Amino acid sequence: MADILNLAIPYFGLIFIGFACGKGKGLPEAGLAWMNFFLLYVSLPALLFGIMSKTPFSELNNPPFLIATTLGTVTAFMLAMVTGRVVGELSLRKATMAGLAGAYGNIGYMGPGLALAVLGAKAAAPTALIFCCDSIFLFSIVPLLIALTDRDHPSPWHAIGVAARQIVLNPLIMSAAAGALAAALHLELPVAIDKTLQFLQNAAAPTALFVLGVTVALRPFDRVPWEVPGVIAIKLLIHPLLVFGLMLLFGPFAQPWAATAVLMASLPPALNVFVIARQNNTWIEPASVAVLIGTFASVVTLTSVMWFIQTGRLVFP
């Protein structure tokens, strides 16, 4: 258990440090704007490109694993959307954000570092696939649904066109595609560029976790909307259980691959849920509450999953 805590505490510790700084210093939230830009458009794309480009393309070509993990994310998204619609009586636009909170874990901020720390280098390929496929699905369906609910569009086709441009130009999707292409062509970057990307990749996790802590500290916490506990339960409990079942159904997969899939599904709601909610001016306060409570609750749930993996109790045939 000490080994598990040694792995988990640095990640959660950075979140709590950010939370304490946000509560104690009282700087305006506007100061996070450039840090969020750095994460979404510079550091995280560099991290995703690095993971994809340095993973042998033959390992990335695993359709059953791709289908199983993506199906788990799709199912969690739909369940969370239905929860928002039924329990919270949300509009489709707000329910889309609830679906994102129930399906989109911290696969960028916590996922790669945590998976490699728990499972070693063999987790690189499945982590890259999950990161890529989840990002493509979620950053496709969310802009599409948001665009379809936007009354400013003159027609549904115009809304679909706007969503398509957002999908194609999304920095995470572009970096994933570029990384996969680099892996397929066996491209080797010049040393100076490769070192620059390494700097950016190394900055992603600590910056993101600190920003996550500061962001949730600055959000008001007056009440918990009715739909939020259900959405958090879907993300932290149902999503990993779904992926566990799908690993058995679509498998067999190698133990590191299946364990990585369950670990990634166990991650708490991503900070990007709040960022995207704010960008679309919808479900903003519930999104911040979901990220806050989900992050704190994952101290127990995520650490438990790590313990099951490390002690060999989570075994796949």
Side-chain angles (χ1 to χ4, degrees):
M1 193 61 191
D3 292 336
I4 301 299
L5 291 176
N6 287 335
L7 288 173
I9 286 175
Y11 290 87
F12 290 112
L14 277 172
I15 296 173
F16 293 139
I17 289 171
F19 185 84
C21 291
K23 286 294 187 184
K25 192 63 178 174
L27 295 175
E29 188 178 354
L32 293 175
W34 276 111
M35 294 185 74
N36 284 323
F37 181 89
F38 172 76
L39 286 170
L40 293 176
Y41 289 92
V42 182
S43 187
L44 283 177
L47 176 63
L48 182 52
F49 175 85
I51 292 175
M52 294 292 289
S53 64
K54 293 181 179 179
T55 302
F57 189 76
S58 59
E59 294 186 21
L60 296 175
N61 186 22
N62 192 333
F65 183 81
L66 182 155
I67 293 171
T69 55
T70 305
L71 184 58
T73 300
V74 172
T75 305
F77 179 82
M78 294 176 63
L79 288 174
M81 272 195 71
V82 171
T83 299
R85 293 282 281 176
V86 174
V87 178
E89 300 181 349
L90 303 179
S91 65
L92 178 60
R93 189 180 183 89
K94 292 180 178 179
T96 298
M97 292 297 105
L100 188 64
Y104 185 25
N106 251 314
I107 55 175
Y109 296 174
M110 298 176 70
L114 197 60
L116 293 173
V118 174
L119 292 156
K122 292 182 179 180
T127 298
L129 278 178
I130 294 168
F131 196 174
C132 179
C133 295
D134 279 10
S135 297
I136 289 174
F137 166 68
L138 292 168
F139 291 124
S140 299
I141 191 65
V142 171
L144 178 60
L145 292 175
I146 291 294
L148 291 175
T149 60
D150 193 340
R151 296 180 181 180
D152 293 336
H153 295 293
S155 69
W157 291 112
H158 182 268
I160 292 172
V162 170
R165 286 194 296 272
Q166 291 177 346
I167 293 165
V168 172
L169 298 177
N170 184 283
L172 294 180
I173 294 177
M174 292 175 66
S175 62
L181 180 63
L185 298 178
H186 304 285
L187 295 179
E188 291 192 12
L189 299 175
V191 175
I193 295 177
D194 187 59
K195 286 186 175 181
T196 301
L197 289 175
Q198 285 290 339
F199 280 139
L200 294 173
Q201 293 168 32
N202 293 337
T207 303
L209 295 173
F210 180 82
V211 169
L212 173 59
V214 173
T215 301
V216 297
L218 297 179
R219 305 311 304 164
F221 188 71
D222 298 329
R223 67 181 186 88
V224 178
W226 289 107
E227 69 275 9
V228 167
V231 168
I232 293 172
I234 289 169
K235 182 68 208 74
L236 297 182
L237 301 175
I238 296 178
H239 191 187
L241 288 174
L242 282 170
V243 171
F244 177 82
L246 289 167
M247 289 295 103
L248 297 176
L249 180 63
F250 283 81
F253 299 108
Q255 173 69 19
W257 281 64
T260 298
V262 175
L263 180 65
M264 295 284 278
S266 304
L267 294 168
L271 173 61
N272 281 353
V273 174
F274 168 71
V275 174
I276 295 170
R278 186 168 55 183
Q279 286 175 344
N280 292 284
N281 194 30
T282 186
W283 209 64
I284 298 174
E285 300 305 330
S288 67
V289 173
V291 172
L292 174 62
I293 297 178
T295 299
F296 285 130
S298 70
V299 174
V300 176
T301 58
L302 180 58
T303 304
S304 298
V305 172
M306 294 167 61
W307 180 78
F308 275 106
I309 293 173
Q310 284 285 78
T311 58
R313 286 172 169 80
L314 187 66
V315 179
F316 293 88

